[in-house]
Amino acid sequence: MKDSTVIPEHVAIIMDGNGRWAKERNKPRSFGHKAGSDNLKKICKKADEMGVSYVTVYAFSTENWKRPKAEVDFLMNLLRQYLKDSIKKAKKDNMRIRVIGDRSILDEDIRTSIAELEDASKDATGLKLQIALNYGGRDELLRCMRLIAEEVTEGTLSPEAIDEACVANRLDTAGIPDPDLMIRTSGEMRLSNFLPWQLAYSEFYFSEKHWPDFKEEDFEAALKFYEGRKRRFGGVEA
């Protein structure tokens, strides 16, 4: 493990390029998604070894429902298998898993598996993995605002008490520190509605590699990049 003073506590990842990776190999997009899922396990293990405490990954956005039905169905079945495997290996992996996003429209069996996995891994002391599933940053903020509006209407919250902490405590990531570093693969350089509130002061690292090709050494390079950044948060150097 490296010096903890230069290791980001929380790394957010947009795992982009699975479909393009598969296309370059004349394979169906589903082949790329499976490879991307396998790669996530390797990167999480590396993150834990390097002393990262939290990893949050963008697995399925609110916009992804617009993809072809066959691809969405494959992704949901891939999720089912991932959840089932993770429940079985929860104690061995020592990784706490939490799902963020609106799970209300997911199939009942998936919601049940999510709850079982969160419960099975709640006492883990290793890496804390957040999976953004049916997640959209604007949707998260809208749900947060509705919750605050309800509390104000009910008289349990005064408008004067609404501050940044009030908002943060009603987001899906309540209780989790904001990401220090955001990694996006496949050459894209935008947030795509991922954690807009939480990434306000994060460092951004972009890789040309598609997610299945983003290996442990690439993750190390991203952390090395973070180590070289000067985190001033609006201050100025002498």
Side-chain angles (χ1 to χ4, degrees), residues 15 36-44 57 82 129 211:
M15 307 178 292
S37 176
D38 292 340
N39 193 49
L40 173 60
K41 299 173 185 177
K42 298 176 184 177
I43 296 301
C44 283
V57 296
Y82 179 87
L129 173 65
W211 174 246

Side-chain angles (χ1 to χ4, degrees), residues 75-86:
L75 287 168
M76 290 298 108
N77 287 328
L78 185 63
L79 172 64
R80 285 183 171 93
Q81 189 60 50
Y82 179 87
L83 293 170
K84 186 183 298 183
D85 293 344
S86 297

Side-chain angles (χ1 to χ4, degrees), residues 4-172:
S4 61
T5 60
V6 295
I7 294 294
E9 181 182 19
H10 185 176
V11 178
I13 306 175
I14 301 178
M15 307 178 292
D16 203 6
N18 293 329
R20 279 166 282 181
W21 180 86
K23 184 178 180 181
E24 290 174 359
R25 289 157 177 76
N26 295 314
K27 299 285 187 180
R29 290 176 63 86
S30 57
F31 181 78
H33 293 309
K34 178 61 170 63
S37 176
D38 292 340
N39 193 49
L40 173 60
K41 299 173 185 177
K42 298 176 184 177
I43 296 301
C44 283
K45 182 179 179 181
K46 186 64 177 179
D48 192 29
E49 290 174 354
M50 296 191 70
V52 175
S53 297
Y54 298 85
V55 169
T56 300
V57 296
Y58 208 4
F60 192 89
S61 75
T62 50
E63 290 81 17
N64 285 158
W65 296 107
K66 300 175 184 177
R67 293 185 177 187
K69 184 178 184 301
E71 182 176 356
V72 171
D73 289 345
F74 177 85
L75 287 168
M76 290 298 108
N77 287 328
L78 185 63
L79 172 64
R80 285 183 171 93
Q81 189 60 50
Y82 179 87
L83 293 170
K84 186 183 298 183
D85 293 344
S86 297
I87 291 171
K88 292 178 181 178
K89 300 189 301 179
K91 289 186 178 179
K92 178 184 176 183
D93 291 344
N94 193 31
M95 181 169 66
R96 183 171 184 176
I97 301 179
R98 172 176 171 179
V99 171
I100 63 173
D102 181 6
R103 63 182 77 175
S104 64
I105 67 172
L106 299 174
D107 288 345
E108 184 178 356
D109 67 306
I110 293 179
R111 297 199 306 271
T112 298
S113 292
I114 290 172
E116 290 177 357
L117 176 56
E118 290 180 332
D119 183 66
S121 66
K122 65 182 180 181
D123 296 323
T125 58
L127 181 73
K128 300 170 185 64
L129 173 65
Q130 289 67 235
I131 302 174
L133 181 63
N134 190 33
Y135 174 87
R138 291 181 177 180
D139 175 71
E140 178 188 32
L141 290 169
L142 284 172
R143 288 187 282 111
C144 173
M145 286 187 278
R146 291 189 190 109
L147 180 58
I148 289 175
E150 289 174 5
E151 292 181 36
V152 170
T153 300
E154 293 169 356
T156 57
L157 178 69
S158 67
E160 293 75 18
I162 301 173
D163 55 14
E164 289 190 13
C166 174
V167 173
N169 289 332
R170 287 160 179 78
L171 296 175
D172 296 346

